[in-house]
Each structure stands twice: as C-alpha cells, then as structure tokens.
Amino acid sequence: MLAQSAVWGVQSVQQTGISTAGIEQWALSPDGSIYLAVESQGIILRKVTATGQPVFSVPLAGVFDFEAMLVGPDGSIYLSGSAAAGFATTPGAYEPAGPDRGPFLCKFSGASGQVVYCTYVDMTFPGLGGFSADAEGNAYLASNWCFGITGP
C-alpha cells in the first residue's frame, strides 16, 4: 500500500507548487518526500517536503550533467550522470578514477543526504542508459549503446 500523501497523484513537480527553475531531475519517495537535482551555481541534490519545505541540500562538485535519479526500495537516492574534474569518489569506489569526463553513479541516504558512495562507472560515454536498485541497496546499470557481437 502506498503512503498517504498530498504528492501522490501529481504528474509533474510543477503541480506541487515548487519552483522548477534549474531542476534537472526529480523523484518522489513513498513517504511523500521530493528529491530534486538542481543546477544553481553548480549541481545540488535537494530534499524537500510535499509542501516545498527544505530538508537538506548537498552540493556535488565536478558533476556537470544528470542523466537519471531514483528512490530505491531501501529509501536511498541514486543519481547517475557525467562528472569532470573535481568529482570525488568515495573510499573503496568501484572505479575511483575516471577520464576527464565520465559517467558516474552515487548513492545517498534518503534521510540525511549523506553520501553512501560515489564512483565512476566503466560504461561507454556518453553515459548510462538507465539503472535500478533492489531492496538490499544494490544498483544495476544499463548502457544506452548497443554493441554488435559477431561469432567466429
């Protein structure tokens, strides 16, 4: 059963009354929270309530483009996109260093905005075609490129 919230049933963030200026991506959580990827003097992850009240704001250095955002079944926020110089990966990252411009995936706590991990991913640029997450917090990535494989 879905959480009872004023947000459910909206088709776009504009219907909430929240300003859409600079919003690159947005996602709704079952508890009615709204997560926004905003371009405003850099890229920022924001969480707001259904009435637009700010909960947290996390700046993301080195990120120049968002491709996708989702709220995982565990309540975490996942962001994918393209990063450049200044993007910091977390200790133990899958791909700790990337090219000058490369695709990334980050996971954040949905409650506090704290970074769980940020990593470059070894997908073909221009980036990810999409991704999903399971209830255990694992992320699954898909490329937006098709490759032909020929037999012997």
Side-chain angles (χ1 to χ4, degrees):
M1 177 174 228
L2 296 175
Q4 297 298 316
S5 169
V7 173
W8 291 106
V10 299
Q11 304 273 318
S12 70
V13 74
Q14 293 94 331
Q15 291 174 318
T16 66
I18 296 170
S19 170
T20 59
I23 293 176
E24 297 282 324
Q25 297 282 333
W26 66 284
L28 297 175
S29 73
D31 70 1
S33 296
I34 302 169
Y35 299 90
L36 308 169
V38 180
E39 185 173 352
S40 174
Q41 298 178 353
I43 304 289
I44 300 168
L45 169 63
R46 291 191 177 140
K47 178 181 180 178
V48 297
T49 65
T51 60
Q53 298 300 309
V55 177
F56 64 71
S57 186
V58 179
L60 302 171
V63 173
F64 66 87
D65 185 40
F66 284 113
E67 291 187 22
M69 171 190 261
L70 79 96
V71 178
D74 67 347
S76 296
I77 307 306
Y78 297 82
L79 295 173
S80 71
S82 299
F87 178 73
T89 59
T90 52
Y94 172 72
E95 289 286 339
D100 289 340
R101 291 177 170 233
F104 75 89
L105 177 68
C106 289
K107 178 181 178 179
F108 299 87
S109 162
S112 67
Q114 181 175 357
V115 175
V116 176
Y117 64 76
C118 277
T119 184
Y120 283 100
V121 293
D122 53 358
M123 305 292 279
T124 302
F125 196 75
L128 304 175
F131 65 97
S132 64
D134 64 21
E136 287 78 39
N138 299 306
Y140 301 90
L141 310 173
S143 175
N144 58 359
W145 289 94
C146 294
F147 296 93
I149 300 174
T150 58

